[in-house]
Amino acid sequence: MEIKNKYVTIKNSINGAPKESDFEIKVENVSLIIESESKDVVVKNLFVSIDPYHINRMKSQSSSQGTISFATAITPGECIDSYGVGRVLFSRRPDFRKGDLVAGLLTWGEYSIVKEGSLLNKLDPNMGFPLSYHLGIFGFSGLSACAGFFEVCKPKPGERVFVSAASGSIGHLVGQYAKLLGCYVVGSVGSQEKVNFLKERLGFDDAFNYKQETDLKLALKRCFPQGIDVYFDNVGGRMLEAAVANMNIFGRVAVCGVISEYTNATTRAAPEMLDIVYKRITIKGFLAADFMNMYAEILSKTVEYVKDGKLKTVEDISQGVESIPSAFIGLFNGENIGKKIVKVADE
């Protein structure tokens, strides 16, 4: 028995800002009959994650592509793998049965064939939360926010914390974790709507629209007259330079992403090295994969925070495989608030 699988691919490598014309929707036949010796699992995709780091995989060359399996280059014309949630349609493996809800490395399409050894985990259907949460607050975004803030930044109660791209999938969680710890928190975003969102809905102490600031260093000086202790960086570029200029002695910077540099190499950061040396500033990059050994512990705590109303999450959900390219492109135009997800099919 075969079914038709609609999926998204790129036509050619993308070395600048992504455009609709860079993508193509293809249809192929997928067999639901798996040989008895096969360990493949056929999954019907329900939700797929849309993340900016994929742009580095779509480039003809990027230094990130040889560092970790999640960052390998995407071949034009082939399926694009991404974290997703789905339901098992067929499996000969004893650990997965038809009907199981799963999360793992699926594809930007309607169906996925997951090979043995690929990331795939069963989900508890009785958690009582939307399945989409497993792509955001209960997924890699939540892991990056919690582990990146607490394990990399090593914050202390009362410290002054700055978060860039603070209304994004990770930033909006980091700010809340900082407030729960008792820190003073400021976020940078790209619109007044997002400023209001941070201050009124998430409880940030302050926020500013970086697009309306002619001097980012002065903007941060205004928000942090006593200096910055912790900077959670999702942006890189000029924002990193401005944050370093305003950091206190022994300040810490966790570099989670550098989205301002992904599509424009001319925006690469050049922080003042004398500040880094004399203020003894620590700048450390990290990946969510670095903290997979802590995932179960972090998930348990996060679930309790959400149940107790201490942690809020926001999702921006588009509908259908056809919406994936525009959803992805929107990340680089600042169109989303919260975690960007595409709903592929009904549960």
Side-chain angles (χ1 to χ4, degrees):
M1 178 181 175
E2 289 187 337
I3 52 176
K4 291 190 178 299
N5 177 37
K6 186 186 301 181
Y7 66 95
V8 175
T9 186
I10 54 173
K11 297 177 182 178
N12 299 286
S13 298
I14 304 173
N15 293 306
K19 308 179 297 297
E20 287 277 357
S21 59
D22 292 321
F23 298 88
E24 183 178 4
I25 306 294
K26 287 189 172 183
V27 178
E28 68 175 2
N29 291 329
V30 174
S31 175
L32 293 182
I33 305 301
I34 297 178
E35 298 177 0
S36 58
E37 302 83 10
S38 175
K39 300 296 183 180
D40 293 351
V41 178
V42 181
V43 177
K44 178 182 179 181
N45 300 341
L46 301 178
F47 296 91
V48 292
S49 180
I50 310 296
D51 302 291
Y53 79 89
H54 281 301
I55 194 65
N56 298 315
R57 303 182 61 209
M58 296 174 181
K59 296 176 181 178
S60 57
Q61 185 176 6
S62 172
S63 61
S64 63
Q65 293 174 359
T67 59
I68 190 170
S69 60
F70 294 115
T72 54
I74 293 169
T75 302
E78 294 189 358
C79 291
I80 297 171
D81 55 302
S82 180
Y83 201 65
V85 169
R87 191 178 293 278
V88 174
L89 285 183
F90 194 90
S91 170
R92 295 189 187 278
R93 289 171 53 177
D95 49 339
F96 293 106
R97 298 181 181 277
K98 182 178 180 179
D100 284 345
L101 286 169
V102 292
L105 205 58
L106 305 183
T107 61
W108 279 359
E110 294 177 319
Y111 300 92
S112 299
I113 297 179
V114 183
K115 302 292 184 181
E116 185 178 22
S118 294
L119 179 64
L120 193 68
N121 295 304
K122 276 200 284 191
L123 298 178
D124 180 357
N126 301 312
M127 282 185 67
F129 295 103
L131 288 178
S132 55
Y133 276 27
H134 293 281
L135 300 185
I137 193 167
F138 298 155
F140 285 146
S141 293
L143 180 60
S144 295
C146 187
F149 182 60
F150 290 105
E151 299 300 317
V152 179
C153 296
K154 303 292 184 183
K156 304 178 184 67
E159 288 194 311
R160 299 164 185 84
V161 177
F162 173 47
V163 185
S164 58
S167 64
S169 63
I170 296 171
H172 86 285
L173 300 175
V174 172
Q176 293 180 80
Y177 277 124
K179 287 303 300 177
L180 287 171
L181 186 63
C183 297
Y184 175 82
V185 185
V186 177
S188 66
V189 288
S191 72
Q192 187 59 44
E193 176 192 7
K194 293 179 179 180
V195 168
N196 297 340
F197 164 74
L198 295 183
K199 295 169 68 174
E200 297 170 7
R201 184 165 178 181
L202 300 186
F204 279 55
D205 295 288
D206 203 354
F208 65 92
N209 178 358
Y210 70 89
K211 293 179 181 178
Q212 294 183 339
E213 301 291 343
T214 57
D215 189 322
L216 293 177
K217 292 180 181 179
L218 290 179
L220 287 175
K221 182 67 174 177
R222 182 182 71 239
C223 294
F224 292 97
Q226 295 177 295
I228 300 168
D229 298 304
V230 169
Y231 173 37
F232 195 99
D233 186 18
N234 293 300
V235 171
R238 292 171 52 242
M239 195 67 77
L240 175 58
E241 295 173 10
V244 167
N246 282 276
M247 295 204 78
N248 291 327
I249 292 173
F250 298 116
R252 288 89 70 204
V253 179
V255 183
C256 181
V258 288
I259 193 169
S260 73
E261 304 181 26
Y262 290 163
T263 58
N264 186 352
T266 65
T267 64
R268 287 177 180 168
E272 175 56 66
M273 296 305 296
L274 283 177
D275 283 341
I276 294 172
V277 173
Y278 282 90
K279 293 181 181 179
R280 286 85 93 198
I281 296 170
T282 299
I283 301 178
K284 183 176 181 179
F286 74 96
L287 299 173
D290 300 335
F291 301 100
M292 286 302 294
N293 63 318
M294 301 177 62
Y295 176 71
E297 177 187 354
I298 288 175
L299 176 62
S300 178
K301 291 181 179 179
T302 304
V303 167
E304 290 304 313
Y305 279 140
V306 176
K307 283 182 178 179
D308 294 342
K310 295 179 179 179
L311 199 60
K312 302 180 180 69
T313 190
V314 180
E315 299 174 320
D316 184 339
I317 301 180
S318 300
Q319 304 289 326
V321 168
E322 294 85 355
S323 72
I324 290 176
S326 60
F328 180 68
I329 293 165
L331 292 176
F332 301 92
N333 299 326
E335 295 177 4
N336 65 298
I337 295 181
K339 174 64 182 177
K340 187 61 191 177
I341 296 168
V342 169
K343 182 178 181 180
V344 177
D346 292 328
E347 299 175 25

